[in-house]
Amino acid sequence: MARTVLVTGGANGIGLASAKAFHDEGCNVIIADIDLAAAQAAARDMGERGAGCAIDVRDKNSIEAAFLFAEEKFGPLDVVHANAGVSSMKRALDLSEEDWDFNFDVNAKGVFLTNQVAVRHFLDNRIKGAIINTASLAAKVGAPLLAHYSASKFAVVGWSQALAREHAKDGIRVNCVCPGFVKTPMQEREIAWEAELLRCTLEQVRQSYIAQTPLGRLETPQDVAGVVVFLA
């Protein structure tokens, strides 16, 4: 029987690459995104084993509705990739409470709520499920101009470790991935923001990212998706 996977923030970037990788492995895939039209468009390319739905990971009711949609479409979920995330960029002393709250509401609270719903779903259905959370290189080393984003992603790592230790006895595995500089629409926005803040060119920012990457190139979403599928 095919496993069923839900990917939040699945309409583009890492989430879409993850969804496609799971689909290529023969899984049923629910692409859940705040942009419903984009989620449905991405799912159409997957045929009968794909479906798209709306989700706002800041809202527990929205998450539960997405899980119900998935279960009605394909049956109980086996894997959840909690990938939805946002970023913004400012110097630490210029950050507003709104900047801080927005990053934490999506990146940290969104993972917390999605994971909580997922674990309850696994327990209710007696499934030894897998959760993979998207953190960041910025969850390992604090990133200048991204202090609030880094803090939210550090929270994802700590939460993932604690949740994994609590529910290992139930056969539920919880891991997170910490991507580096990944070539996505989010990164393109960040390059523009950083170039403006540092008063340099887009290419100078891009080259600084590459210089910090041992492979000597930007990561691709597919690089990350391969790890996500492995962890599932």
Side-chain angles (χ1 to χ4, degrees):
M1 182 180 294
R3 298 172 81 187
T4 298
V5 182
L6 182 140
V7 181
T8 70
N12 58 64
I14 292 171
L16 181 57
S18 170
K20 288 180 177 178
F22 278 116
H23 181 262
D24 290 344
E25 290 290 326
C27 298
N28 300 315
V29 179
I30 301 293
I31 295 177
D33 200 280
I34 199 164
D35 185 341
L36 174 60
Q40 291 175 331
R44 275 196 293 273
D45 293 336
M46 298 181 179
E48 294 182 354
R49 287 190 287 111
C53 70
I55 196 169
D56 183 342
V57 297
R58 299 167 295 182
D59 180 353
K60 185 177 180 181
N61 291 333
S62 177
I63 297 166
E64 289 176 339
F67 273 67
L68 180 60
F69 173 84
E71 193 162 8
E72 290 177 345
K73 184 73 177 177
F74 295 122
L77 288 161
D78 301 285
V79 178
V80 174
H81 181 192
N83 169 75
V86 297
S87 69
S88 57
M89 190 175 287
K90 286 183 182 178
R91 290 181 172 83
L93 295 185
D94 293 330
L95 288 169
S96 66
E97 290 185 39
E98 289 75 17
D99 295 324
W100 181 274
D101 290 345
F102 179 54
N103 276 257
F104 267 82
D105 281 350
V106 178
N107 298 343
K109 181 181 176 182
V111 165
F112 154 63
L113 290 174
T114 302
N115 285 193
Q116 202 173 58
V117 172
V119 170
R120 286 175 176 150
H121 172 87
F122 295 150
L123 293 174
D124 288 346
N125 289 282
R126 297 183 179 181
I127 292 171
K128 294 182 178 180
I131 295 170
I132 304 94
N133 296 322
T134 299
S136 173
L137 172 62
K140 295 291 188 178
V141 180
L145 307 180
L146 288 165
H148 55 321
Y149 175 82
S150 282
S152 71
K153 292 298 190 175
F154 266 84
V156 171
V157 172
W159 162 262
S160 300
Q161 291 178 353
L163 188 66
R165 294 179 69 183
E166 281 195 36
H167 287 283
K169 66 182 185 300
D170 302 310
I172 296 171
R173 293 177 297 107
V174 184
N175 287 282
C176 60
V177 291
C178 294
F181 299 101
V182 186
K183 193 173 183 179
T184 63
M186 179 184 285
Q187 185 190 77
E188 289 302 310
R189 292 193 297 272
E190 290 172 350
I191 288 173
W193 294 334
E194 187 163 343
E196 182 177 356
L197 286 165
L198 298 181
R199 298 182 180 178
C200 61
T201 67
L202 301 179
E203 188 57 26
Q204 285 174 317
V205 175
R206 192 172 288 110
Q207 288 303 317
S208 76
Y209 291 177
I210 293 171
Q212 296 175 67
T213 306
L215 282 177
R217 64 167 175 81
L218 296 175
E219 291 179 61
T220 68
Q222 290 73 28
D223 291 330
V224 184
V227 180
V228 172
V229 171
F230 168 78
L231 290 172

